[in-house]
Each structure stands twice: as C-alpha cells, then as structure tokens.
Amino acid sequence: MRCPFCGNTDTQVKDSRPAEDHVAIRRRRYCPACAGRFTTYERVQLRDLVVVKKNGRRESFDRDKLERSIRIALQKRPIEAERVDQMISGIVRRLESMGESDIPSDTIGAIVMETLARIDTVAYVRFASVYKNFQAADDFEDFVHELRPPAPNGDG
C-alpha cells in the first residue's frame, strides 16, 4: 500500500480489525520512511458495477459518491456514523446481488430513498429534493403531503 504522505510503497500493517458490522476490515498502517500513520479499509466486491445515467451515459459505480450524497442528506441529523456505514454497505450489497452489472441510476436512487425513508424522514426529503429535481416550494409541499397520512375526519 502506497503511503499517502511520501509515496513509499513499503508500508506496514500495525493493526487490523473488523469494521462496518464485519463487512470490511480496518487496517492501521505505518510508513517507516516518513513515520506517517494512516487507515485503509478492505471490502469484498462481488462484481464491477456500471451506473447507466438517464441520458444513457455509463460510468463506473463509485461507493464514495454514494456515501457523499447520503452523508449530505443526513448532515446534522441524529444518526450514528456506524449506522450510516451499515446502511451504505447494505445498499452496495443489494446492488451487487441484483445479478446485473449495469444498474440504472433510477434504481440506485429508489433504493437510497427507500432506505432513508426507514431511517430519517428529514434526510429522505433532502435526498428526494435532489433526486427528483425539485424546482419550487410547491414540489416540496406536494412531496411532503404524500408522506403525511390523511387526517381523521371524526366519523368514527
């Protein structure tokens, strides 16, 4: 593993332990050349995924991009980092186990929304505002209205 500080390729693993509910391995590394310390994560990758965008463009699936968008939606929400990591790993496993290498971006967005809806309603609405490309306050109002159950009418 190349040292991110000096570029030395001869780094040493000092500690390894399970991470993200045993779906990854966290490794603490040390560089003897510059004495730098850094952490790496090792995960199983079942297949190389390709995201098919709405316009037909194709790009490699980027777990970090997925994580960034979810963390933005969850910003300042009371959700533990470990739970977020488990959620992201679960989404990636679900995508990898679909049996297809080409995954439409709509499918990824729908899975993320479904997962966020179970965890935090505010994050769900935040993500939906970008995913569904809300343009005006009315778009938010309509979306939030769909989330609320109808008010009881007192007939009963």
Side-chain angles (χ1 to χ4, degrees):
M1 177 66 60
R2 182 179 304 275
C3 174
F5 306 112
C6 71
N8 179 27
T9 57
D10 186 28
T11 59
Q12 302 168 356
V13 174
K14 290 299 181 185
D15 180 51
S16 292
R17 63 181 61 176
E20 298 175 22
D21 203 24
H22 295 278
V23 296
I25 297 175
R26 177 184 180 271
R27 300 195 193 280
R28 281 298 291 159
R29 295 181 177 267
Y30 170 78
C31 176
C34 71
R37 294 181 181 273
F38 58 101
T39 302
T40 60
Y41 290 88
E42 184 178 314
R43 293 182 180 87
V44 171
Q45 182 175 333
L46 297 176
R47 67 183 72 220
D48 288 332
L49 298 176
V50 175
V51 178
V52 181
K53 301 287 193 168
K54 292 176 186 171
N55 65 5
R57 199 177 85 238
R58 300 161 54 86
E59 64 182 52
S60 295
F61 175 77
D62 184 350
R63 179 191 172 97
D64 293 335
K65 187 174 177 181
L66 173 68
E67 182 175 348
R68 277 191 306 274
S69 65
I70 290 172
R71 288 197 188 278
I72 288 169
L74 287 166
Q75 199 167 21
K76 297 185 180 180
R77 301 300 302 151
I79 310 296
E80 300 102 24
E82 186 175 317
R83 183 147 187 223
V84 176
D85 290 338
Q86 290 172 357
M87 179 180 89
I88 293 164
S89 293
I91 291 169
V92 172
R93 276 194 309 271
R94 187 168 164 189
L95 293 171
E96 288 176 338
S97 65
M98 291 176 76
E100 296 291 325
S101 293
D102 292 359
I103 309 288
S105 59
D106 286 347
T107 301
I108 297 170
I111 291 171
V112 171
M113 286 191 41
E114 174 188 314
T115 306
L116 283 173
R118 290 192 310 259
I119 291 177
D120 187 275
T121 307
V122 172
Y124 171 63
V125 173
R126 285 178 180 168
F127 187 86
S129 72
V130 174
Y131 173 67
K132 293 182 176 277
N133 197 20
F134 291 175
Q135 298 294 318
D138 291 345
D139 296 335
F140 278 97
E141 190 175 322
D142 294 344
F143 185 76
V144 171
H145 181 72
E146 291 174 19
L147 293 176
R148 292 192 180 128
N153 58 13
D155 289 345

